Structures are given as structure tokens and as C-alpha cells.
Amino acid sequence: MNSFVDLKSMLSASRASCGTVYLVGAGPGDPDLLTLRAARLLAQADAVVYDHLVGADVLELVAPHAQRIYVGKERAKHTLQQEGINTLLVRLAREHACVVRLKGGDPFVFGRGGEELQVLAAEGVPFEVVPGVTAGCGVAAYAGIPLTHRDHAQSCLFVTGHLKDGSCDLDWPAIARRRQTVVIYMGLAGLATICERLIAHGLPPDWPAAVVEQGTLVDQRVVTATLATLAEAVDNAGLESPCLTIVGEVVRLRDQLAWFEPRAGVTATTETRPLPVAALS
Ligand code: SAH
């Protein structure tokens, strides 16, 4: 394959001086969702620096000789602070030809990929970016929730629910709108507050919403409810991170479109009204 040959020559060409850092998206979990380019780079890497969202199945693709470095990054439990990761990448690039910085989902979506690249750029380290399937897309697909639909949502917002010091600094009027889907990353801890705010800013209490735990993986669990009942339903089901929240009328389509059969079965607290059949055409 031409591109494979190109990649090999590119890698050997960079061996002489400073290596290249590949900022690679690992996708949301299911290793089948890796890009071909990501899989090839993992097989050729000299060193792989990865965080907690990268699963064991994906790491199996890493070359046996490669150095594997876990840098954590769970909420409030950072194994290595961001500055330490940046320094590590610069050092590894000076020691190796092919360094892969592997991140869950897409490296440019809530992944601090841009920050890491800024440091590499300032240090003159060559880099490339390999996009991945972001959780918003992958998890919604495996939950049977289309993010847009001509009858229900003409736009889709990706926001972070990681609320600084418990305060809510999101643009609530823009988020609490009809005819759009809102995907909330890192929103589990603040879920009750988020739902309250959405209702306070105009969405009806019976507006459909879902939380997906371990999306795309065999342990995937999905709770569907309404803004008024979601936090309690998620609490009762005992969902834990990583969880993605999806808010919008499209959540109701899951009743008809759920296709993925996870090992753990489905926890569905479906309190949303079913859509009229006409709306599903
Ligand atoms: N760069 C990543 C996001 C990093 S932020 C991406 O593009 O997907 C981490 C958040 O992503 C988690 O807190 C969770 O909200 C979401 N997430 C990532 N993988 C997930 C999964 N398999 N299931 C549910 N949520 C997931």
C-alpha cells in the first residue's frame, strides 16, 4: 500500500534528528473505531504516552518493543500534571523517532491536545495530528441516538460539564434551546445542577435526556429519563465515569433505533413520551 510505504519512509527520515510526536485519537473505546492511521502508528511507535480513557484492547496494538507510559488524568486524580506531560513529550521526541501521544476520543475535543502541541511547537518538535471518533459521535451512535434529525434537531452542541469550583460558567441561554441536541462531556458530577439550570433557562422538565456510561464498550449502560428525573435515575443506576449526557428530543428515537447489545444489558429508565409514528419517518 502506498500510504504505508510513505509512512515508513517518513518515519525513517525523521530518525536522524528529533523524532515526531503523533497526537493520536484512540476513539471512545471500541478498538474497531480506531482509524487505520492510528493502528499503524501504534504498531510502529517507539514510545506511547496514554491516559486513562485508552482501553486495554487499544493498547494491545502497541508494538511490543515500545515504551508505554501512563499519564493518568482522571478527574481530581492527575497522575502527572499537564506540565509534566508536556516536558515528557519533548524529552521522548529527542530520544525516539516515533512518539505517539494517545488520547481518548479525538485529541482536539476537550483533550488538551492543542495545549500539548503549543509546547511542542515552541520547542521546535515536529508533530502531526491523527483525529479520532469523539465520544459525542461514537457514544451517540452506539446508544442509537442520532445527534441531528430533520424533525428534531438542526444543530448539535458539544459542551463540557466540568464546572469550575462548582460554579456554572456555561452559556445557559444558548444551551437551553429547542431544536438542538446538547452533548455534555464530563458532566456526571454536576448533573443535577446542569439539569436544574436547563429547566431554569426554559427547557421543559419533561425534556428528554440520556446518560451513557462506557459507551461503545461491552459494558455500555444507558439511562434515559427527563431533565426532571435524570439525576436521580442515574444515581439509582449507580453510573460512574466515563459518562456522556445527551439532551434533546432525539433521545426519544433510541426507543426505535437502539441496536448495540452490550454484555451488561441496558438500564433504561424510559420516562419520555414516545414520538408519534409520523415524526419517525
Ligand atoms: N477527547 C475526548 C474527550 C475527553 S473528556 C473525546 O473526544 O471523546 C472525557 C469525557 O469524555 C468523559 O468524562 C466522558 O464525558 C466522555 N467520554 C469519553 N469516552 C466515553 C465513553 N466511552 N463513554 C461515555 N463517555 C465518554
Side-chain angles (χ1 to χ4, degrees), residues 213-244:
E213 176 194 62
Q214 303 265 19
T216 78
L217 291 160
V218 287
D219 293 326
Q220 172 176 298
R221 292 199 292 163
V222 184
V223 168
T224 58
T226 64
L227 286 179
T229 59
L230 187 66
E232 198 184 338
V234 164
D235 224 32
N236 290 341
L239 297 195
E240 286 177 11
S241 188
C243 273
L244 194 82

Coordinates of all heavy atoms in Angstrom, one line a residue, residues 213-244:
E213 N -23.0 5.4 30.0 CA -21.8 5.0 30.7 C -21.0 4.0 29.8 O -21.6 3.1 29.3 CB -22.1 4.4 32.0 CG -21.0 3.8 32.8 CD -21.5 2.9 34.0 OE1 -22.0 1.8 33.7 OE2 -21.3 3.2 35.1
Q214 N -19.7 4.2 29.7 CA -18.8 3.3 29.0 C -19.3 3.0 27.6 O -19.4 1.9 27.1 CB -18.7 1.9 29.7 CG -18.3 2.0 31.1 CD -16.8 1.8 31.2 OE1 -16.0 1.9 30.2 NE2 -16.3 1.4 32.4
G215 N -19.7 4.1 26.9 CA -20.3 4.0 25.6 C -19.3 3.3 24.6 O -18.1 3.4 24.6
T216 N -19.9 2.5 23.7 CA -19.3 1.7 22.6 C -18.6 0.4 23.2 O -18.1 -0.4 22.4 CB -18.2 2.5 21.7 OG1 -17.0 2.6 22.4 CG2 -18.7 3.8 21.3
L217 N -18.5 0.3 24.5 CA -17.8 -0.9 25.1 C -18.9 -1.9 25.5 O -20.1 -1.6 25.6 CB -17.0 -0.4 26.3 CG -15.8 0.4 25.8 CD1 -15.3 1.3 27.0 CD2 -14.7 -0.4 25.3
V218 N -18.4 -3.1 25.7 CA -19.3 -4.2 26.1 C -20.1 -3.9 27.4 O -21.1 -4.5 27.7 CB -18.7 -5.6 26.2 CG1 -18.3 -6.1 24.8 CG2 -17.4 -5.5 27.1
D219 N -19.5 -3.0 28.2 CA -20.2 -2.7 29.5 C -21.1 -1.4 29.4 O -21.5 -0.9 30.4 CB -19.1 -2.4 30.5 CG -18.3 -3.7 30.9 OD1 -19.0 -4.8 30.8 OD2 -17.1 -3.6 31.2
Q220 N -21.4 -1.0 28.2 CA -22.2 0.2 28.0 C -23.5 0.1 28.7 O -24.2 -1.0 28.7 CB -22.5 0.4 26.5 CG -23.5 1.5 26.2 CD -23.7 1.8 24.7 OE1 -22.7 2.2 24.0 NE2 -24.9 1.6 24.2
R221 N -23.9 1.2 29.4 CA -25.2 1.2 30.1 C -25.8 2.6 29.7 O -25.1 3.6 29.7 CB -25.1 1.1 31.6 CG -24.7 -0.3 32.0 CD -25.0 -0.5 33.5 NE -24.2 0.3 34.4 CZ -24.6 0.5 35.6 NH1 -25.7 0.0 36.1 NH2 -23.8 1.3 36.4
V222 N -27.1 2.6 29.5 CA -27.8 3.8 29.1 C -29.0 4.1 30.0 O -29.8 3.2 30.2 CB -28.3 3.7 27.6 CG1 -28.9 5.1 27.2 CG2 -27.2 3.3 26.7
V223 N -29.0 5.3 30.5 CA -30.2 5.7 31.3 C -30.9 6.8 30.5 O -30.3 7.8 30.2 CB -29.8 6.1 32.7 CG1 -31.0 6.8 33.4 CG2 -29.3 5.0 33.6
T224 N -32.2 6.6 30.2 CA -32.9 7.7 29.6 C -34.0 8.1 30.5 O -34.6 7.3 31.3 CB -33.6 7.2 28.2 OG1 -34.4 6.1 28.5 CG2 -32.6 6.9 27.2
A225 N -34.2 9.4 30.6 CA -35.2 10.0 31.5 C -35.6 11.4 31.0 O -35.6 11.6 29.8 CB -34.6 10.0 32.9
T226 N -36.0 12.2 31.9 CA -36.3 13.6 31.6 C -35.3 14.5 32.4 O -34.7 14.0 33.3 CB -37.7 14.0 31.9 OG1 -37.8 13.9 33.3 CG2 -38.7 13.0 31.3
L227 N -35.3 15.8 32.0 CA -34.4 16.7 32.8 C -34.8 16.7 34.3 O -33.9 16.8 35.1 CB -34.6 18.1 32.3 CG -33.9 18.4 30.9 CD1 -34.1 19.9 30.5 CD2 -32.4 18.1 31.0
A228 N -36.1 16.5 34.6 CA -36.5 16.5 36.0 C -36.1 15.2 36.7 O -35.9 15.3 37.9 CB -38.0 16.7 36.0
T229 N -36.0 14.1 36.0 CA -35.7 12.8 36.7 C -34.4 12.2 36.4 O -34.0 11.2 37.1 CB -36.8 11.8 36.2 OG1 -36.7 11.6 34.8 CG2 -38.2 12.2 36.6
L230 N -33.6 12.8 35.5 CA -32.3 12.2 35.1 C -31.3 12.0 36.2 O -30.8 10.9 36.4 CB -31.7 13.0 34.0 CG -30.5 12.4 33.3 CD1 -30.8 11.1 32.5 CD2 -29.7 13.3 32.4
A231 N -31.1 13.0 37.0 CA -30.0 12.9 38.0 C -30.4 11.8 39.0 O -29.5 11.0 39.4 CB -29.9 14.2 38.8
E232 N -31.6 11.7 39.4 CA -32.0 10.6 40.4 C -31.9 9.2 39.7 O -31.4 8.3 40.3 CB -33.4 10.9 40.8 CG -33.7 10.1 42.1 CD -35.2 10.2 42.6 OE1 -35.8 11.2 42.2 OE2 -35.6 9.4 43.3
A233 N -32.3 9.1 38.4 CA -32.3 7.9 37.7 C -30.8 7.4 37.6 O -30.5 6.2 37.7 CB -32.9 8.0 36.4
V234 N -29.9 8.3 37.3 CA -28.5 8.0 37.1 C -27.9 7.5 38.5 O -27.1 6.6 38.5 CB -27.8 9.2 36.5 CG1 -26.2 9.1 36.7 CG2 -28.1 9.4 35.1
D235 N -28.3 8.2 39.5 CA -27.9 7.9 40.9 C -28.3 6.5 41.2 O -27.6 5.7 41.7 CB -28.5 8.9 41.8 CG -27.5 9.4 42.8 OD1 -26.3 9.5 42.5 OD2 -27.9 9.7 44.0
N236 N -29.6 6.2 41.0 CA -30.2 4.9 41.3 C -29.5 3.8 40.5 O -29.3 2.7 41.0 CB -31.7 4.8 41.0 CG -32.5 5.7 41.9 OD1 -32.0 6.0 43.0 ND2 -33.7 6.1 41.5
A237 N -29.1 4.1 39.3 CA -28.4 3.0 38.5 C -27.0 2.9 38.8 O -26.3 2.0 38.4 CB -28.6 3.4 37.0
G238 N -26.5 3.9 39.6 CA -25.1 3.8 40.0 C -24.1 4.0 38.9 O -23.0 3.4 38.9
L239 N -24.4 4.8 37.9 CA -23.5 5.1 36.8 C -22.2 5.8 37.3 O -22.3 6.7 38.1 CB -24.2 5.9 35.7 CG -25.4 5.3 35.0 CD1 -25.7 6.1 33.7 CD2 -25.2 3.8 34.7
E240 N -21.1 5.4 36.7 CA -19.8 6.0 37.0 C -19.1 6.5 35.8 O -19.4 6.1 34.7 CB -19.0 5.0 37.8 CG -19.4 4.8 39.2 CD -18.6 3.7 39.9 OE1 -17.6 3.3 39.3 OE2 -19.0 3.3 41.0
S241 N -18.1 7.4 35.9 CA -17.3 7.9 34.8 C -16.6 6.7 34.1 O -16.2 5.8 34.7 CB -16.3 8.8 35.4 OG -15.6 9.5 34.4
P242 N -16.5 6.8 32.8 CA -16.8 7.9 31.9 C -18.3 7.9 31.5 O -18.8 6.8 31.1 CB -15.9 7.8 30.7 CG -15.7 6.3 30.6 CD -15.7 5.8 32.0
C243 N -19.0 9.0 31.6 CA -20.4 9.1 31.2 C -20.6 10.3 30.3 O -20.0 11.4 30.5 CB -21.2 9.3 32.4 SG -21.7 7.8 33.2
L244 N -21.4 10.2 29.3 CA -21.7 11.3 28.4 C -23.2 11.5 28.5 O -24.0 10.6 28.5 CB -21.4 10.8 27.0 CG -21.3 11.9 26.0 CD1 -20.0 12.6 26.0 CD2 -21.6 11.4 24.6

